[in-house]
């Protein structure tokens, strides 16, 4: 299911958390301090890092910062025996996926790690899909270099195939944009550019997993986060 790294200076707590997570199928590694954790992360890909905040020499918050430099994709869950709203807010602000208070119970820890793992897997799938799509678009563009318009229309059509709920939306926006530009007296060259841009204004949705696009119920927080990224993804694809 994934690899989890537990960091705590108390062996009993490390062993307990490991016992909580192993039955769920996780590959669980443990470290007694931040330096040991950094060494492990330098050698092994970690999906979820669960670290105590109050540790000797290097705190869990500082470890989180270093972990993000080593592996930006790793999700970090901070744990402390002295919970305060200010600490929790600061932890999330600095990039923690979640924040838990000791003493931990099995259900809370497992639920939080499962959620962090699921969110990372969604991001990984999205990243892989985007990389493959960019490669595909590049190949198609090179093979169809005679006509940019053909490529743009193909991308728009591909978007409609993946998102049947909005079929025809790309073309309608392009036609409306062209009609408005014509009424405003925009020259033909700029109108053509505007028309092509409108055809792919939602192209970033190609990187949203199909099961999310056609989901009949409300999005989860993780799914909504992916949907919100489609405009930036569209920019990356077109650039």
């Amino acid at each position: 299911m994934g690899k989890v790294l537990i960091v705590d200076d108390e062996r009993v707590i490390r062993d307990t958390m490991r016992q909580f997570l192993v039955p769920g199928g996780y590959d669980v590694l443990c470290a007694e301090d931040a330096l040991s954790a950094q060494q492990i992360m330098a050698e092994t890909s970690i999906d979820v890092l669960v670290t105590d905040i109050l540790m000797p020499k290097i705190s869990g918050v500082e470890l989180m910062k270093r972990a993000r430099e080593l592996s930006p994709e790793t999700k970090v869950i901070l744990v402390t025996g002295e919970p305060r709203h200010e600490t929790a807010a600061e932890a999330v602000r600095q990039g923690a996926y979640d924040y838990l208070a000791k003493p931990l119970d099995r259900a809370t820890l497992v639920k939080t790690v499962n959620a962090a793992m699921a969110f990372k897997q969604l991001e990984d799938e999205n990243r892989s899909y985007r990389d493959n799509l960019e490669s595909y678009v590049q190949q198609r563009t090179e093979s169809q270099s005679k006509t940019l318009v053909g490529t743009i229309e193909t991308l728009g059509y591909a978007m409609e195939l993946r998102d049947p709920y909005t079929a025809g939306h790309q073309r309608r926006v392009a036609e409306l944009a062209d009609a408005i530009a014509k009424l405003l007296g925009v020259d033909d060259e700029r109108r053509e550019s505007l028309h092509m841009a409108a055809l792919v204004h939602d192209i970033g949705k190609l990187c949203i997993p199909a099961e999310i696009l056609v989901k009949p119920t409300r999005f989860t927080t993780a799914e909504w986060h992916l949907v919100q990224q489609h405009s930036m993804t569209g920019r990356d694809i077109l650039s």
Side-chain angles (χ1 to χ4, degrees):
M1 288 184 64
K3 191 162 292 187
V4 179
L5 174 59
I6 295 172
V7 188
D8 197 293
D9 55 329
E10 295 187 43
R11 182 173 181 177
V12 172
I13 294 178
R14 295 197 304 271
D15 291 344
T16 299
M17 286 196 286
R18 186 177 187 279
Q19 291 172 10
F20 284 169
L21 294 173
V22 167
Y26 290 115
D27 181 5
V28 182
L29 304 177
C30 295
E32 62 184 2
D33 55 38
L35 291 177
S36 300
Q38 285 181 248
Q39 183 63 34
I40 292 174
M41 294 192 70
E43 299 173 353
T44 307
S45 177
I46 299 297
D47 297 302
V48 178
L49 170 65
V50 183
T51 178
D52 189 20
I53 290 182
L54 300 177
M55 295 189 295
K57 297 182 180 179
I58 300 175
S59 71
V61 174
E62 180 60 30
L63 172 60
M64 176 178 67
K65 296 177 183 177
R66 299 184 184 186
R68 293 184 68 187
E69 294 176 359
L70 287 170
S71 177
E73 296 82 15
T74 298
K75 299 304 167 192
V76 181
I77 299 170
L78 294 177
V79 181
T80 184
E82 299 180 8
R84 293 190 313 233
H85 292 301
E86 297 82 0
T87 307
E90 180 63 14
V92 173
R93 188 185 69 80
Q94 295 199 34
Y97 175 80
D98 210 337
Y99 176 90
L100 299 176
K102 294 180 181 178
L104 291 173
D105 63 85
R106 181 193 299 269
T108 300
L109 178 62
V110 171
K111 178 181 178 180
T112 304
V113 171
N114 285 347
M117 190 69 69
F119 186 71
K120 182 180 183 297
Q121 288 173 348
L122 270 177
E123 288 188 330
D124 290 345
E125 291 170 5
N126 185 51
R127 190 179 303 107
S128 175
Y129 190 90
R130 181 178 61 201
D131 291 343
N132 292 333
L133 178 65
E134 289 173 350
S135 175
Y136 169 76
V137 171
Q138 182 178 0
Q139 294 173 10
R140 292 285 293 176
T141 302
E142 291 174 353
S143 67
Q144 297 183 1
S145 58
K146 294 182 180 180
T147 168
L148 176 60
V149 176
T151 302
I152 294 295
E153 290 178 344
T154 298
L155 288 171
Y157 179 62
M159 181 64 257
E160 292 184 353
L161 287 178
R162 295 194 71 250
D163 188 6
Y165 290 161
T166 59
H169 172 68
Q170 316 282 343
R171 290 191 298 273
R172 289 193 296 272
V173 170
E175 291 167 2
L176 285 169
D178 185 65
I180 293 172
K182 186 175 182 180
L183 286 174
L184 293 174
V186 176
D187 62 72
D188 290 346
E189 183 176 350
R190 291 185 64 192
R191 279 176 51 204
E192 182 179 358
S193 296
L194 182 64
H195 184 271
M196 287 192 293
L199 278 174
V200 289
H201 74 275
D202 266 346
I203 199 65
K205 289 168 69 177
L206 280 169
C207 290
I208 301 174
E211 60 268 24
I212 294 179
L213 286 176
V214 299
K215 185 177 180 181
T217 56
R218 294 176 67 88
F219 292 149
T220 64
T221 300
E223 292 166 344
W224 181 235
H225 178 71
L226 288 177
V227 171
Q228 289 178 310
Q229 295 181 38
H230 84 275
S231 58
M232 298 294 289
T233 302
R235 182 202 64 180
D236 292 342
I237 293 173
L238 294 175
S239 65

